[in-house]
Amino acid sequence: MSSRLRSWGLSWVVTSMVAPLALVAACEDWNWEGRYAGECNDGADNDGDSFFDCNDSDCAGAPNCVEAVGDDDDGDLVQVDEGEIRLTPLVEPLGLDPMRTYGVALVDFDEDGLPDVTLAAKEGLFLLRNLGDWSFEDVTADWGVDTVAAGDNVRQAHGVIWVDIDDDGDLDLFLVRRVRLLDDGPGIQSRLTPTLFLNNGKGRLLVGTQSSGLSVQGYWEGAAFGDLDGDRDLDLIVLGGINSNSDWYENPGFAGSPGKLFRNTGSGVFEDATDDWDCAGPLDSESWEVLALDLDGDGDTDLVEANDRRPSTICLNEGAGSFVDLSDSVSLNFGSPMGLDAGDLNGDGCVDVYGTNFGFPDTVLNFGPDGQFTEIYQSLVGVGQDVSAPVSGYGVSIHDTDLDGDQDVLWVAAYDTNVSDNTIEPGVLAYAEGHRSGQLPSLTYIAPGPHDLFTADHNSYGLAHGDLDGDGDLDFLVGVDHDPMLSDGGEPRNGRAGPPLPEVSSNSFLLRNDSYTKGFQHLSITLRQEPPNARAVGAAVFVRAAGQQTGRVLTSGSSFLSSHALPLHFGLGADTTAEWVLVRWPDGFEQIFTDVAAGDVTLTRSESPCVPEGTCSGIALGCGD
């Protein structure tokens, strides 16, 4: 276990909102637990009578009373006695043996309203249907993607993206395949083709790689879909990773392979557009994850590509796939980013990109109204509070764990080389809680629960979020490679073995969100527009509620080789409606929806810039507003 992780993992501070009992006794005409409104939904036994919130008769008639959520085990008058954030690890519901798992998804592939589980492992592809109540059914064979039916098309599975490629209304599956570096050798076919599975609309996936024009071999890593040429259908970028047949130990960062850009010519048939669009990164870069999103709000899909040990590639789209590579004009040397996610972390209405890093501190890029990037990670976490270096971070989720209206961050890391001394550094699971004090946003690293998993070493790669139990808060899925490759040809890797992976973190797992949310509300937004791209991949959504603003981007491929649930999820705090929701559709058209009620909603595109009409005057929008 890393001593750095142990130091923050065990320093979890408990805060209590206990009102002074003397004040309660002095206020005889007050009929609730405590003196102040809200004490019937704070998880505290404010009047010391051993009854909490709704279980206390004093709370009769309270407008925000919530049910009891736990026991006062430590006698501090607080129900959830270890703090507000609590994630509970679950392995058994998946029913799978430890595997070499990388990309994961929590996308509702059968579209019954519950996110399902997808895992890409070297042993194959696995689909688990969510039955509700934390029960899952293995439907891999039913969907035709087991190794018997799909054969080599699912072996060496690496990354997963669910997306409607052919605009027929159902979700197809794009699977990146990749051999692990230390598994490569004589007789191994290491350059693999991705696999495109087309959904036949009857719960069966059929191989369509060859007919779609995507049967191209490579050392593929991250992929993303987006409208790169402005014709509304979804194009594709796939990044090239380390060439495992090169001397990659001796030339780190420059032993990579070319990426590819593919133009969707219609109905899910692709042609190579790499030379035309010229934004697949350096030919020899070791690239990892990629985001396709509109950074500057001009209605064109831009690209952010994570390159190892060299400047990242960021290309701004000037229309119709005409990209401007910023490498020559902006410093993009942010270490060695691996995983990427996007959202508005500091509430300024601009898109931020969070990058987990290899051996260096993580990075957060804020694309401001002046068209410049600002690195804001260190200002968010504060001096001396960072836990991201020297581990090798991968999957990442920007989200709102406790529904308080700001953005929190969860990320995972894997065993890799410590860049400072060339030893093996185990990975970790890290959680940073977002706070906004006045206008100053911050991220504070805390342990997200008392379980041993949160202080254990990890070899985790994929990470996805989604509301698995339909309770309004987000849960998580983590993909674990149970073999951290501590040896190379029988000899300790790099000449020095690292600690073995502990059993507690040796299998892929779920994280059930049991955080105490104080009765806060959520808003889960599904977007719909006329096809092509009916699900509005690439749209950005900004929400004003609980006295603050935040945003998310609907990406198709993010985190690390993974896919989050498609509805965009926001916390509203104690508000029961969002003051307004701004949708910037993939082509840049903006709509404002006012007074959007909490819960699960579908926002459908229309020609009206304001819904309902006449309710949007005085609303200040835009990056930096």
Side-chain angles (χ1 to χ4, degrees), residues 530-541:
E530 290 297 317
N533 189 18
R535 286 175 168 79
V537 171
V541 176

Side-chain angles (χ1 to χ4, degrees), residues 108-301:
D108 180 13
F109 56 72
D110 61 0
E111 302 196 81
D112 64 352
L114 289 174
D116 303 301
V117 169
T118 307
L119 301 102
K122 302 310 158 189
E123 293 81 358
L125 179 67
F126 297 85
L127 306 185
L128 305 180
R129 180 170 177 256
N130 189 348
L131 303 177
D133 197 26
W134 294 95
S135 297
F136 299 87
E137 176 189 8
D138 190 336
V139 294
T140 309
D142 296 341
W143 281 69
V145 292
D146 59 314
T147 54
V148 174
D152 285 342
N153 290 294
V154 296
R155 291 192 176 94
Q156 302 295 338
H158 198 52
V160 287
I161 301 176
W162 288 95
V163 60
D164 187 2
I165 288 293
D166 48 10
D167 282 306
D168 62 353
D170 49 37
L171 290 170
D172 310 301
L173 176 61
F174 182 76
L175 178 68
V176 177
R177 298 192 302 131
R178 172 79 209 235
V179 176
R180 297 190 313 171
L181 289 174
L182 293 182
D183 288 340
D184 202 359
I188 300 295
Q189 175 58 41
S190 53
R191 296 182 72 247
L192 302 175
T193 62
T195 303
L196 177 62
F197 289 102
L198 297 175
N199 193 330
N200 70 355
K202 301 176 181 178
R204 193 83 174 175
L205 294 172
L206 306 176
V207 177
T209 314
Q210 189 73 40
S211 61
S212 68
L214 296 177
S215 185
V216 180
Q217 291 184 339
Y219 301 99
W220 305 124
E221 287 287 351
F225 288 87
D227 179 14
L228 301 180
D229 56 2
D231 64 356
R232 293 193 60 185
D233 56 22
L234 294 176
D235 309 297
L236 170 65
I237 179 172
V238 189
L239 297 184
I242 296 175
N243 180 346
S244 54
N245 288 313
S246 68
D247 193 8
W248 53 277
Y249 264 134
E250 300 299 325
N251 196 25
F254 295 83
S257 56
K260 288 284 186 181
L261 290 156
F262 295 94
R263 178 188 291 112
N264 189 341
T265 63
S267 301
V269 177
F270 294 84
E271 64 181 16
D272 192 333
T274 307
D275 292 338
D276 293 341
W277 293 343
D278 193 24
C279 186
L283 296 179
D284 60 351
S285 67
E286 302 168 6
S287 301
W288 300 98
E289 190 53 67
V290 56
L291 290 180
L293 74 171
D294 185 1
L295 283 171
D296 51 7
D298 64 353
D300 301 310
T301 301

Side-chain angles (χ1 to χ4, degrees), residues 229-378:
D229 56 2
D231 64 356
R232 293 193 60 185
D233 56 22
L234 294 176
D235 309 297
L236 170 65
I237 179 172
V238 189
L239 297 184
I242 296 175
N243 180 346
S244 54
N245 288 313
S246 68
D247 193 8
W248 53 277
Y249 264 134
E250 300 299 325
N251 196 25
F254 295 83
S257 56
K260 288 284 186 181
L261 290 156
F262 295 94
R263 178 188 291 112
N264 189 341
T265 63
S267 301
V269 177
F270 294 84
E271 64 181 16
D272 192 333
T274 307
D275 292 338
D276 293 341
W277 293 343
D278 193 24
C279 186
L283 296 179
D284 60 351
S285 67
E286 302 168 6
S287 301
W288 300 98
E289 190 53 67
V290 56
L291 290 180
L293 74 171
D294 185 1
L295 283 171
D296 51 7
D298 64 353
D300 301 310
T301 301
D302 310 307
L303 294 172
V304 180
E305 304 165 20
N307 301 327
D308 198 359
R309 306 200 193 200
R310 63 194 295 173
S312 296
T313 300
I314 298 182
C315 296
L316 296 184
N317 192 338
E318 296 193 329
S322 176
F323 289 96
V324 175
D325 190 335
L326 299 183
S327 301
D328 295 332
S329 58
V330 179
S331 175
L332 301 174
N333 191 5
F334 303 113
S336 298
M338 302 289 195
L340 299 172
D341 204 10
D344 182 6
L345 277 166
N346 61 354
D348 64 353
C350 308
V351 174
D352 302 320
V353 174
Y354 191 108
T356 54
N357 239 325
F358 163 53
F360 300 93
D362 286 354
T363 188
V364 176
L365 303 182
N366 175 262
F367 192 80
D370 58 356
Q372 298 295 312
F373 287 98
T374 304
E375 207 300 309
I376 63 173
Y377 176 76
Q378 293 296 339

Side-chain angles (χ1 to χ4, degrees), residues 45 102 162 196 252 280 338 351 388 435 511 528:
D45 177 21
Y102 283 73
W162 288 95
L196 177 62
M338 302 289 195
V351 174
S388 63
H435 301 278
L511 291 172
R528 287 292 182 267

